[in-house]
């Protein structure tokens, strides 16, 4: 990859984060080492670690791997190496870095190219956790970089002030983006920025950039920012950048509410900001994702296993990767050759256990729900599917009550409800599928 100009403005707390460490331990556990302790307190949901890129290091690793000829393992999957290949092929903890691995997002990439690179608009990618926002932002960033743009990426910290958020970006703007005559002035002004500078000072500084350069600031996980004031300052920054026609575009990554809040701050921002909603990938793309992973891992899913994983993931790439991973590991551990429905169901039960360690409150609710013969299983499944696909479901108080505290009413629409953990519905479906298997066996 040509990451000459792409920069990681601040290291994302990949290995430092509690949930990343847990994910590693869980993977070790799945491979047969002793089970980890249950977490005493709810920690960051596992998906937060999905956005844990070290752009250059990991992208290079993937590229190198892709360039190696596939090694054929004799006989069965081939013990240890098979496990390593499965981990690599179905990695639900890291974003996609190459366009060929980004399934079902061509239209979104085209919109981003058109809006940000060519029309020089700001954009916001928004969608549920695990839908692939960071992946899309990174693949786009790589492309923009290859087209000569300066791409600066960071993931936001919850309590950062505006200046703390922006300072790393400003310090990473390379000299090459500043015209020769302005270089000294730019450096002096950047140095002289006050501790808590605001949007106006940023725009004054970057207005010195060469008009034919392009700098793209990617602010991932913007929804984590807690301060309304910072939200409003970012909205002001985008508005001022557009009004002054400065060659700097902001690509925010967040959730739907992020967009609403920004527009509320500056209604006229609508004209300068392209929303890129990220929904589910299609069934065909899900199958391609499974098949490509299987090819890389050198494993084979039978038709029933493939269909079950596609059905339960409901088009969420994160769940597809995780469910394929656990099903393949289950098969390898037992010395099997083909991943079948039984191994898939054992894997789904494991996946539920993994998730339960990170969100034991909701998992306990689902456990009780699925064990209770008085519960309307069909209705539960229908609602879980609707929420898995649309990130919310339409119903009444009685529907919501089935799921207790795991479900919350929408702020604006009385008949709309959300699972408080956006990744939960697929785990509930996994639990239901496992239960059906147990019932059939009994
Ligand atoms: N379009 C896609 N095709 C294949 N895998 C994807 C796609 N989008 C996401 N993934 C995978 O899903 C997981 C979550 O993706 P990520 O981009 O971190 O989601 P988000 O930022 O929305 O939480 C990662 O393992 C990633 O590799
Ligand atoms: Mg992300």
């Amino acid at each position: 990859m040509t990451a000459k100009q792409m920069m990681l403005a601040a290291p994302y707390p990949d290995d430092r984060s509690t949930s990343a460490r847990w994910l590693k331990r869980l993977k070790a556990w799945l491979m047969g080492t002793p089970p980890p302790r249950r977490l005493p307190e709810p920690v960051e949901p596992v998906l937060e670690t999905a956005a844990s890129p070290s752009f250059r290091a990991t992208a290079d690793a993937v590229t190198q791997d892709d360039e190696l000829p596939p090694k054929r393992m004799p006989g069965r999957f081939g013990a240890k190496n098979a496990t390593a290949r499965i981990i690599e092929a179905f990695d639900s903890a890291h974003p996609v870095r190459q366009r060929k691995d980004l399934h079902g997002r061509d239209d979104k990439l085209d919109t981003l190219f058109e809006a940000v690179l060519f029309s020089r608009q700001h954009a916001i990618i928004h969608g549920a956790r695990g839908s692939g926002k960071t992946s899309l932002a990174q693949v786009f960033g790589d492309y923009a970089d290859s087209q000569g743009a300066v791409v600066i990426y960071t993931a936001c910290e919850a309590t950062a002030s505006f200046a703390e958020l922006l300072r790393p970006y400003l310090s990473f703007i390379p000299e090459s983006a500043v015209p020769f005559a302005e270089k000294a002035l730019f450096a002096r002004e950047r140095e002289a920025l006050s501790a808590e500078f605001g949007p106006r000072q940023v725009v004054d500084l970057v207005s010195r950039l060469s008009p034919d350069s392009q700098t793209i600031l990617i602010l991932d996980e913007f929804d984590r920012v807690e301060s309304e004031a910072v939200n409003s300052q970012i909205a002001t920054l985008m508005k001022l950048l557009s009004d002054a026609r400065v060659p700097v575009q902001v690509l925010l990554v967040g959730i739907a509410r992020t967009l609403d809040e920004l527009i509320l701050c500056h209604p006229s921002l609508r004209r300068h900001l392209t929303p890129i909603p990220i929904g589910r990938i299609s069934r065909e793309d899900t199958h391609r994702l499974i098949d490509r992973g299987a090819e890389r891992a050198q494993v084979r899913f039978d038709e029933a296993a493939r269909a079950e994983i596609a059905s339960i993931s409901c088009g969420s790439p994160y769940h597809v990767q995780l469910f394929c991973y656990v099903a393949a590991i289950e098969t390898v551990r037992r010395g099997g050759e083909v991943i079948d429905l039984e191994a898939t169901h054992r894997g789904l039960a494991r996946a539920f256990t993994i998730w339960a360690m990170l969100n034991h409150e909701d998992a306990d609710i689902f456990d009780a729900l699925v064990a209770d013969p008085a519960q309307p299983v069909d209705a539960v499944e229908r609602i879980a599917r609707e929420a898995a696909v649309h990130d919310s479901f339409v119903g009444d108080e009685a529907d919501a009550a089935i799921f207790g505290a795991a479900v919350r009413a929408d702020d604006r629409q009385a008949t709309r409800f959300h699972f408080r953990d956006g990744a939960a519905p697929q785990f509930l479906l996994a639990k239901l599928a496992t239960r059906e298997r147990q019932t059939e066996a009994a």
Side-chain angles (χ1 to χ4, degrees):
M1 99 162 192
T2 60
K4 58 186 185 306
Q5 287 170 305
M6 174 125 32
M7 284 159 235
L8 190 68
Y12 191 74
D14 186 353
D15 284 329
R16 306 190 255 129
S17 89
T18 319
S19 46
R21 277 201 305 275
W22 269 93
L23 199 67
K24 275 188 190 150
R25 293 177 64 181
L26 286 164
K27 285 194 168 177
W29 174 54
L30 276 163
M31 286 183 278
T33 47
R37 280 174 296 118
R38 189 182 176 115
L39 292 182
E41 286 300 324
V43 295
E44 284 174 74
V46 63
L47 285 175
E48 297 299 328
T49 63
S52 49
S54 162
F55 246 46
R56 218 167 300 183
T58 36
D60 285 351
V62 171
T63 312
Q64 282 163 15
D65 177 64
D66 280 356
E67 283 159 4
L68 290 175
K71 291 188 203 106
R72 277 267 149 227
M73 299 310 299
R76 306 206 161 199
F77 284 162
K80 256 196 168 164
N81 284 343
T83 306
R85 281 201 306 273
I86 291 166
I87 292 172
E88 178 94 32
F90 298 113
D91 182 358
S92 60
H94 294 97
V96 167
R97 282 166 198 95
Q98 298 202 348
R99 185 169 184 172
K100 68 179 164 46
D101 295 329
L102 190 73
H103 296 270
R105 299 296 188 213
D106 285 356
D107 54 336
K108 306 292 176 191
L109 272 174
D110 286 348
T111 311
L112 270 171
F113 295 155
E114 175 59 38
V116 181
L117 277 185
F118 305 121
S119 305
R120 302 214 164 197
Q121 288 226 322
H122 307 296
I124 174 166
I125 300 174
H126 62 90
R129 286 189 296 117
S131 54
K133 301 179 295 297
T134 300
S135 300
L136 178 66
Q138 293 203 356
V139 171
F140 166 72
D142 259 357
Y143 179 76
D145 166 64
S146 74
Q147 296 301 299
V150 173
V151 181
I152 309 177
Y153 171 97
T154 198
C156 299
E157 297 287 345
T159 53
S161 70
F162 176 81
E164 283 165 350
L165 212 56
L166 266 289
R167 193 180 296 281
Y169 283 107
L170 299 181
S171 63
F172 269 89
I173 293 177
E175 274 204 0
S176 58
V178 189
F180 185 75
E182 305 266 347
K183 280 191 201 308
L185 201 54
F186 179 83
R188 264 205 310 281
E189 285 179 1
R190 180 160 65 179
E191 203 57 31
L193 278 174
S194 61
E196 282 305 324
F197 59 82
R200 169 57 67 192
Q201 285 99 313
V202 174
V203 176
D204 286 348
L205 178 70
V206 295
S207 63
R208 303 218 174 271
L209 298 181
S210 161
D212 47 3
S213 71
Q214 183 168 26
T215 300
I216 300 170
L217 309 181
I218 304 181
L219 277 97
D220 199 357
E221 308 204 9
F222 189 66
D223 50 292
R224 290 177 65 178
V225 172
E226 286 163 3
S227 156
E228 270 179 36
V230 174
N231 255 296
S232 163
Q233 284 171 303
I234 292 288
T236 306
L237 173 69
M238 292 198 286
K239 179 77 178 63
L240 292 176
L241 286 170
S242 297
D243 289 348
R245 296 179 176 271
V246 174
V248 176
Q249 274 69 50
V250 179
L251 172 58
L252 294 177
V253 181
I255 54 178
R257 186 184 297 238
T258 319
L259 174 63
D260 297 345
E261 284 167 2
L262 288 170
I263 299 290
L264 214 65
C265 294
H266 275 286
S268 63
L269 202 54
R270 259 182 230 283
R271 289 202 306 275
H272 308 290
L273 180 65
T274 303
I276 318 269
I278 297 288
R280 299 308 181 201
I281 61 172
S282 68
R283 189 56 72 103
E284 293 73 45
D285 285 313
T286 299
H287 283 161
R288 273 194 277 273
L289 174 53
I290 298 174
D291 295 345
R292 167 119 176 103
E295 200 183 306
R296 271 193 182 166
Q298 297 167 31
V299 298
R300 192 161 76 76
F301 290 86
D302 76 13
E303 213 27 69
R306 192 169 167 260
E308 184 75 337
I309 290 171
S311 160
I312 292 179
S313 336
C314 296
S316 156
Y318 163 76
H319 291 90
V320 176
Q321 301 272 55
L322 178 65
F323 295 159
C324 285
Y325 167 76
V326 285
I329 290 287
E330 275 296 319
T331 307
V332 168
R333 283 177 70 185
R334 290 170 187 247
E337 295 202 21
V338 176
I339 302 156
D340 59 14
L341 196 55
E342 210 193 319
T344 301
H345 283 149
R346 274 199 310 273
L348 291 175
R350 288 255 181 189
F352 186 87
T353 315
I354 295 172
W355 173 72
M357 288 179 202
L358 293 146
N359 184 352
H360 61 86
E361 288 169 4
D362 289 359
D364 288 349
I365 294 172
F366 293 171
D367 268 331
L369 175 63
V370 172
D372 181 356
Q375 291 295 347
V377 177
D378 291 350
V380 170
E381 179 169 348
R382 181 183 50 73
I383 291 172
R385 278 193 182 281
E386 187 179 331
V389 174
H390 301 291
D391 301 326
S392 67
F393 68 89
V394 175
D396 55 24
E397 291 293 338
D399 293 326
I402 300 175
F403 306 95
V407 155
R408 286 186 182 146
D410 188 86
D411 298 343
R412 286 167 297 183
Q413 199 181 327
T415 55
R416 188 169 289 283
F417 298 89
H418 304 263
F419 281 80
R420 64 180 168 186
D421 174 347
Q426 284 90 340
F427 289 108
L428 176 54
L429 291 171
K431 183 84 200 168
L432 284 169
T434 317
R435 170 189 175 272
E436 278 158 21
R437 180 176 141 252
Q438 281 165 350
T439 318
E440 277 159 26

